[in-house]
Amino acid sequence: MSENFNVGLENIEKKDYDEALQKLEALFGSQLSTNLTLRQQHAHTMTWLENQPADAVLMARDKQDVAKAVAICNEYQMPVIAFGIGSSLEGQLNAPYGGLCIDMSEMNEVIQVNNEDLTVTVEPGVTREQLNHYLRDTGLFFPIDPGANATIGGMVATRASGTNAVRYGTMKDVVLALEVVTAEGKIIKTGTRAKKSAAGYDLTRLMIGSEGTLGIVTEITLKLFGITECVGSGICHFPTVEAACEATMMTIQMCLPIARIELLDTLQVKACNQYSNLNLKEMPTLFVEFHGSETGVEEQAQIFSDIVEECGGSDFAWDSNEEERKKLWHARHNAYPASCALRPEAKALSTDACVPISRLAECVSETAKDIEASGMIGPIVGHVGDGNFHVLLLVDTNNPEEVQTAEDLVGRLAKRAIDMDGTCTGEHGIGQGKQKYMQHEHGDAVLVMQAIKHALDPNNILNPGKIWSVEVEA
Amino acid sequence: MSENFNVGLENIEKKDYDEALQKLEALFGSQLSTNLTLRQQHAHTMTWLENQPADAVLMARDKQDVAKAVAICNEYQMPVIAFGIGSSLEGQLNAPYGGLCIDMSEMNEVIQVNNEDLTVTVEPGVTREQLNHYLRDTGLFFPIDPGANATIGGMVATRASGTNAVRYGTMKDVVLALEVVTAEGKIIKTGTRAKKSAAGYDLTRLMIGSEGTLGIVTEITLKLFGITECVGSGICHFPTVEAACEATMMTIQMCLPIARIELLDTLQVKACNQYSNLNLKEMPTLFVEFHGSETGVEEQAQIFSDIVEECGGSDFAWDSNEEERKKLWHARHNAYPASCALRPEAKALSTDACVPISRLAECVSETAKDIEASGMIGPIVGHVGDGNFHVLLLVDTNNPEEVQTAEDLVGRLAKRAIDMDGTCTGEHGIGQGKQKYMQHEHGDAVLVMQAIKHALDPNNILNPGKIWSVEVEA
């Protein structure tokens, strides 16, 4: 595959989709727009990747809209890209070959809550905050929290996870079933509301994380979880990131059922202090949360306290007060804008990697040294309980040298993680930004993925140019 | 699809594989056998399905053996069926088109335990009991327990689960990565040891449950779990199966993190008393297990005790004594032979279904009435915390009328479960026995599954005639 960072973004022949667009316009009228600003907004990449707008944006109102539009796109071999809220981080929403962007944000109904089964069925445009607001009186909640107020459809597409994944899993673990529009414009169901099944291939898990390249999700049935009797939140400081990582590793290795364990390095803590007007000690810090009964939470906190001490940490304090907790996690969720504020004229590139927990300290520490040596500003923050962490690189994208330095850093991080038997992305996905690491990570398995893609989307209309842009040679 | 119970087993044209067999024999010598008894043993179905032996059995010693053999099979378009220990329940190991059976049981090495990461990598012939014996001094265990001492490879193939799944998940949840031989005889890796990844399609989950139709697994990396400080086991009785199911539903709905909750109906308890020489009260019974800290287990047991009382149950007693626990679960694991002993001259057909937990009582109770009305002997036993239960039908397979009655019962159960938004099989898989329910459960999604099958195995050599025998029409 190409060694170019913007693989697949050059020499692209865009076709003329006039006939298809006329057909779409006749069918959808004012739901379809070709306004440039709108199209550019829908190709917003949250990265330094070039903005590549689609030819038109369709505001879909229901699954039939999606099915009809995809059928037309398939007829004319026109690309089709589903859009949720635009929070993806690797250029998943760009339209390098033009085509139709289907905006799913108006398909935002919570269709059915089944309290007795701890399940909910939603349309893809429902956001995670909207869903939890809807559930507020049920005693249930949806745990997956990638930070951004992403849509559930987008979270399916990128196999999202985030702060609670260490206890509740990722999207692959909490989705029971999907309704999907195939490349032909057929609507299929990939599962039932039964908690498990051994009936045929797991199309649900195949669709999750496929970044819109195998189908467009129009309905999602999710597992919900009971809000535990007690929630305790805490914070503690460490002399080094290694020590904080060691404490995390010990927590996981002792099988403590911690609900959240988040690392912020010194620079990130500084950024949060400035942005959220806090007074946190400017040292490597862990934010933690415990879910359980009152005695259960106390037990967990006591064990964690011993771990902190053993790893040279300090000031561990925890509380089950909800307001304190919200303040703490609000600051954590603002890590991204807080980092951006460290260098307002720059663009923030959030990259992520994930390694087996035993390699966490090593991987974070080598990465921190690498960032320092590069002279870049790049706070580290992470869902370290899963061995997953982010670097937020602040890059002046008008300075080609700086862009190159950043690209090289990201490349070294991806390779470092893969060489530690990890992955080049724990939760952001491949999109356009990480294609060149696919073969290093997966080898010939990429050929198997591509065979599946060809089988399900022979005209390559579903989000083309994502995950890979060119065929890997056998 | 055909409405015939033995769909695909008639009018099968077997090809002549002499040339392929000669090539295999030249390569593998005494590892290859064409002995009829051995071939028949390897096609043992644990069902009433006709025994359909392969043309030869290969004892594979390593992944290279598997890769070479599959490449030859692909060259000659000869079917290839992987064999673990022969405990599958829906005819997965039959060879309706002849071909090569690859026996994986000598590939039974535990390759690497990574205590620090709570992972282990094994060859596919390792059995779950062998694995847990190997882990005995590590403080870790592998929780998936389908009853039989199945091989890990076989458990991957059928997406196995069992008694602990209510807390620890199924095979889809505990497999981190696979090494797979593709239909072409290439060896690929489907993942890494990182706990999560968003890098490309989830081939791991696609392979799990594909019953050997998409590839042959040669290495499996599994998550392990810490043995909790305390394990408590208990038993309680209910006036009706509905009441026992109600208690189960309430347990799940209250999000009690129960590790096992197993239903035995009155007939099954009688069978266990006779077989295991026990004195259990002959009433609908729940066997339960709690994992946690000492106070955690006590809390769980107290809450469960309240639930039992509320649902009209009685005699709830629990204990953290290991010997008592082993005796109890030994009896549970012997439910299958115990049932067989109820009618020694008959063959036992174990069928399973799974529904959303809110429909459990209804589904079990309708099924119990259906069995009674049919006049058959069919104890009910189940992993009810997942909404999953089994009927063990004791059938005189020499009596065509009785076979028909049993087939009809199984068919009504499958349809009942599907119509309750459940599945025709929670854990046994489709194999040959449940093909005719695939379309009712999945509709057009079967076409998507078949497109994947064609893409990955264009010559249809990998366990052909399983999951489906004929193409579904679009």
Side-chain angles (χ1 to χ4, degrees):
Chain A
M1 294 180 83
S2 166
E3 278 301 305
N4 192 298
F5 199 68
N6 290 334
V7 59
L9 303 189
E10 299 119 42
N11 309 322
I12 287 169
E13 245 183 86
K14 276 203 200 179
K15 289 195 209 158
D16 182 348
Y17 299 116
D18 284 354
E19 212 179 316
L21 288 167
Q22 279 166 25
K23 210 160 176 177
L24 287 164
E25 203 174 7
L27 191 62
F28 292 109
S30 66
Q31 282 175 261
L32 193 80
S33 168
T34 54
N35 175 286
L36 179 64
T37 310
L38 187 80
R39 291 189 289 123
Q40 282 173 339
Q41 283 165 354
H42 280 77
H44 177 58
T45 69
M46 307 273 290
T47 68
W48 57 37
L49 294 162
E50 180 197 345
N51 186 289
Q52 300 167 314
D55 295 297
V57 175
L58 172 69
M59 298 301 299
R61 288 186 189 144
D62 58 33
K63 64 184 79 169
Q64 298 305 337
D65 279 0
V66 179
K68 283 179 206 160
V70 172
I72 292 171
C73 288
N74 198 40
E75 189 187 342
Y76 291 93
Q77 306 196 12
M78 176 162 82
V80 55
I81 301 134
F83 177 96
I85 205 168
S87 54
S88 62
L89 291 165
E90 292 291 352
Q92 278 92 347
L93 299 169
N94 251 344
Y97 306 95
L100 180 70
C101 171
I102 304 185
D103 184 321
M104 315 292 280
S105 62
E106 289 183 6
M107 287 176 61
N108 64 350
E109 200 187 327
V110 177
I111 298 168
Q112 190 178 24
V113 179
N114 291 81
N115 292 52
E116 287 189 315
D117 291 315
L118 313 170
T119 69
V120 63
T121 300
V122 300
E123 287 191 308
V126 169
T127 70
R128 64 172 188 87
E129 287 179 5
Q130 179 195 345
L131 176 57
N132 277 322
H133 183 71
Y134 190 95
L135 296 170
R136 67 196 179 284
D137 299 324
T138 62
L140 300 173
F141 80 116
F142 173 66
I144 313 295
D145 166 16
N149 185 23
T151 62
I152 305 295
M155 290 168 67
V156 168
T158 55
R159 202 180 294 127
S161 45
T163 59
N164 279 309
V166 63
R167 170 141 172 181
Y168 297 94
T170 77
M171 287 303 279
K172 89 168 162 43
D173 303 303
V174 301
V175 175
L176 279 170
L178 299 170
E179 184 186 76
V180 176
V181 171
T182 67
E184 288 173 298
K186 270 197 183 181
I187 299 172
I188 61 159
K189 297 247 183 198
T190 67
T192 73
R193 290 202 306 110
K195 200 180 148 202
K196 65 187 196 186
S197 171
Y201 302 163
D202 189 346
L203 297 183
T204 306
R205 252 48 61 183
L206 181 65
M207 291 291 164
I208 295 169
S210 64
E211 304 190 14
T213 64
L214 297 178
I216 296 183
V217 172
T218 50
E219 217 173 276
I220 304 117
T221 299
L222 298 163
K223 287 186 204 172
L224 297 173
F225 295 81
I227 296 171
T228 54
E229 179 195 343
C230 180
V231 176
S233 270
I235 189 168
C236 53
H237 309 291
F238 294 86
T240 61
V241 283
E242 288 91 330
C245 289
E246 292 291 343
T248 305
M249 287 158 61
M250 206 177 284
T251 304
I252 299 304
Q253 285 154 6
M254 289 182 70
C255 304
L256 200 70
I258 200 155
R260 287 169 158 173
I261 181 161
E262 296 285 308
L263 170 73
L264 289 77
D265 76 353
T266 305
L267 184 57
Q268 183 63 63
V269 175
K270 274 185 194 160
C272 287
N273 274 344
Q274 284 168 23
Y275 188 85
S276 298
N277 203 13
L278 296 171
N279 273 312
L280 302 174
K281 248 191 208 178
E282 296 186 348
M283 291 172 77
T285 298
L286 289 178
F287 284 20
V288 293
E289 193 166 286
F290 311 106
H291 294 178
S293 65
E294 275 197 35
T295 51
V297 166
E298 266 169 42
E299 271 184 2
Q300 290 179 51
Q302 184 53 53
I303 294 169
F304 185 72
S305 171
D306 295 344
I307 293 172
V308 172
E309 201 175 319
E310 196 171 328
C311 294
S314 56
D315 313 311
F316 174 57
W318 70 279
D319 201 303
S320 57
N321 177 293
E322 196 180 340
E323 219 148 294
E324 280 302 307
R325 184 167 73 246
K326 282 199 170 159
K327 202 168 149 194
L328 192 70
W329 290 105
H330 190 66
R332 167 63 190 89
H333 278 141
N334 282 333
Y336 182 81
S339 291
C340 293
L342 287 173
R343 194 183 172 195
E345 75 285 6
K347 203 157 184 179
L349 171 78
S350 175
T351 194
D352 89 310
C354 186
V355 292
I357 193 78
S358 68
R359 308 300 293 271
L360 177 70
E362 193 182 350
C363 194
V364 169
S365 136
E366 283 183 22
T367 304
K369 279 179 207 145
D370 200 7
I371 298 167
E372 204 185 331
S374 76
M376 300 222 54
I377 302 178
I380 293 175
V381 55
H383 317 308
V384 280
D386 290 324
N388 181 210
F389 65 95
H390 306 267
V391 180
L392 295 164
L393 290 171
L394 299 171
V395 184
D396 174 0
T397 50
N398 295 318
N399 179 341
E401 260 179 58
E402 211 174 286
V403 170
Q404 192 58 51
T405 305
E407 287 186 17
D408 293 346
L409 256 177
V410 169
R412 285 194 299 275
L413 171 54
K415 286 177 179 159
R416 184 178 302 125
I418 294 169
D419 292 341
M420 289 182 180
D421 209 358
T423 171
C424 67
T425 172
E427 55 181 26
H428 291 178
I430 299 295
Q432 296 179 315
K434 288 202 164 161
Q435 300 188 355
K436 65 176 167 181
Y437 316 118
M438 279 292 283
Q439 201 167 15
H440 182 49
E441 180 165 334
H442 294 292
D444 282 348
V446 176
L447 296 170
V448 175
M449 295 182 199
Q450 291 182 339
I452 294 167
K453 166 71 174 173
H454 286 307
L456 303 197
D457 179 23
N459 294 325
N460 196 23
I461 62 162
L462 296 170
N463 210 6
K466 309 304 160 61
I467 307 184
W468 44 74
S469 300
V470 289
E471 300 289 304
V472 176
E473 274 171 46
Chain B
M1 293 180 81
S2 166
E3 277 302 305
N4 192 298
F5 199 69
N6 290 332
V7 59
L9 303 190
E10 298 120 42
N11 309 322
I12 286 169
E13 245 183 84
K14 276 202 200 181
K15 288 195 208 158
D16 182 348
Y17 298 117
D18 283 354
E19 212 178 317
L21 289 167
Q22 278 166 25
K23 210 161 177 177
L24 287 163
E25 204 175 5
L27 191 62
F28 292 109
S30 65
Q31 283 176 261
L32 193 80
S33 169
T34 55
N35 175 286
L36 178 64
T37 309
L38 187 81
R39 291 190 288 123
Q40 283 174 338
Q41 282 166 354
H42 280 77
H44 177 58
T45 69
M46 306 275 291
T47 68
W48 57 37
L49 294 162
E50 181 198 344
N51 186 289
Q52 300 167 313
D55 294 297
V57 175
L58 173 69
M59 299 302 299
R61 288 185 189 144
D62 57 32
K63 64 183 80 168
Q64 299 304 338
D65 278 1
V66 178
K68 283 179 205 160
V70 172
I72 292 171
C73 289
N74 198 41
E75 189 187 340
Y76 291 93
Q77 305 196 12
M78 176 162 80
V80 54
I81 300 134
F83 177 96
I85 204 167
S87 54
S88 62
L89 291 165
E90 293 291 351
Q92 277 93 346
L93 298 169
N94 250 343
Y97 306 95
L100 180 70
C101 171
I102 304 185
D103 184 321
M104 315 291 279
S105 62
E106 289 184 5
M107 287 176 61
N108 64 349
E109 201 187 326
V110 176
I111 298 168
Q112 190 177 25
V113 179
N114 291 81
N115 292 53
E116 287 189 315
D117 292 314
L118 313 169
T119 69
V120 63
T121 301
V122 300
E123 286 191 309
V126 169
T127 70
R128 63 171 188 87
E129 287 178 5
Q130 179 194 345
L131 177 57
N132 278 322
H133 183 71
Y134 190 95
L135 296 170
R136 66 197 180 283
D137 299 324
T138 62
L140 301 172
F141 80 117
F142 173 66
I144 312 297
D145 167 15
N149 185 24
T151 62
I152 304 297
M155 290 168 67
V156 168
T158 55
R159 202 181 295 127
S161 45
T163 60
N164 279 308
V166 63
R167 170 140 174 183
Y168 296 94
T170 77
M171 286 303 279
K172 87 168 164 41
D173 304 301
V174 301
V175 175
L176 279 171
L178 298 171
E179 184 187 76
V180 176
V181 171
T182 68
E184 289 173 298
K186 270 196 184 183
I187 298 173
I188 62 160
K189 296 247 183 198
T190 67
T192 73
R193 290 202 308 110
K195 199 179 149 202
K196 64 188 198 187
S197 171
Y201 302 163
D202 189 347
L203 298 183
T204 306
R205 252 49 60 184
L206 181 65
M207 291 291 164
I208 295 169
S210 64
E211 304 191 13
T213 65
L214 297 178
I216 296 184
V217 172
T218 50
E219 216 173 278
I220 304 118
T221 299
L222 298 163
K223 286 186 204 170
L224 297 174
F225 295 82
I227 296 172
T228 54
E229 178 193 344
C230 180
V231 175
S233 270
I235 188 168
C236 52
H237 308 291
F238 294 86
T240 60
V241 283
E242 289 90 330
C245 289
E246 291 292 342
T248 306
M249 287 157 61
M250 206 176 284
T251 303
I252 299 303
Q253 285 155 7
M254 289 181 69
C255 304
L256 199 70
I258 201 156
R260 287 170 159 171
I261 181 162
E262 295 285 309
L263 170 72
L264 290 77
D265 75 353
T266 305
L267 184 57
Q268 183 64 61
V269 175
K270 273 185 194 159
C272 287
N273 274 344
Q274 284 168 23
Y275 188 84
S276 298
N277 203 13
L278 296 171
N279 273 311
L280 302 174
K281 248 192 208 178
E282 296 186 348
M283 291 174 75
T285 299
L286 289 178
F287 285 19
V288 294
E289 193 166 285
F290 312 107
H291 294 179
S293 66
E294 275 196 35
T295 51
V297 166
E298 265 169 43
E299 271 184 3
Q300 291 180 49
Q302 184 53 55
I303 294 168
F304 184 72
S305 171
D306 295 344
I307 292 171
V308 172
E309 201 176 318
E310 196 171 329
C311 295
S314 55
D315 313 312
F316 175 57
W318 71 278
D319 201 302
S320 57
N321 176 295
E322 197 181 338
E323 220 148 292
E324 280 303 306
R325 184 167 73 247
K326 282 198 172 159
K327 203 169 151 193
L328 194 70
W329 290 106
H330 191 66
R332 167 63 189 89
H333 277 141
N334 281 332
Y336 182 80
S339 292
C340 294
L342 287 173
R343 194 183 171 196
E345 75 286 5
K347 204 156 183 180
L349 172 78
S350 175
T351 194
D352 89 309
C354 186
V355 292
I357 193 79
S358 68
R359 308 300 293 271
L360 177 70
E362 195 182 347
C363 195
V364 169
S365 135
E366 283 183 23
T367 303
K369 279 178 206 145
D370 200 7
I371 298 167
E372 204 184 334
S374 76
M376 302 222 52
I377 302 177
I380 293 175
V381 55
H383 317 308
V384 280
D386 289 325
N388 181 210
F389 64 96
H390 304 268
V391 180
L392 294 165
L393 290 171
L394 298 171
V395 184
D396 174 1
T397 48
N398 295 317
N399 180 342
E401 259 180 59
E402 212 176 285
V403 170
Q404 191 59 51
T405 305
E407 287 187 16
D408 293 347
L409 256 177
V410 169
R412 287 193 299 275
L413 171 55
K415 286 177 180 161
R416 184 178 302 126
I418 294 168
D419 292 342
M420 290 182 180
D421 209 359
T423 172
C424 67
T425 173
E427 55 180 27
H428 292 177
I430 299 295
Q432 295 179 315
K434 287 201 165 162
Q435 300 188 355
K436 65 177 166 180
Y437 316 118
M438 279 291 284
Q439 201 167 16
H440 182 50
E441 181 165 333
H442 294 292
D444 282 349
V446 177
L447 296 170
V448 176
M449 295 183 200
Q450 291 183 340
I452 293 166
K453 166 70 174 172
H454 286 307
L456 302 197
D457 178 22
N459 293 324
N460 196 24
I461 62 160
L462 295 170
N463 209 5
K466 308 304 160 62
I467 308 184
W468 44 73
S469 299
V470 289
E471 300 290 303
V472 177
E473 275 171 46

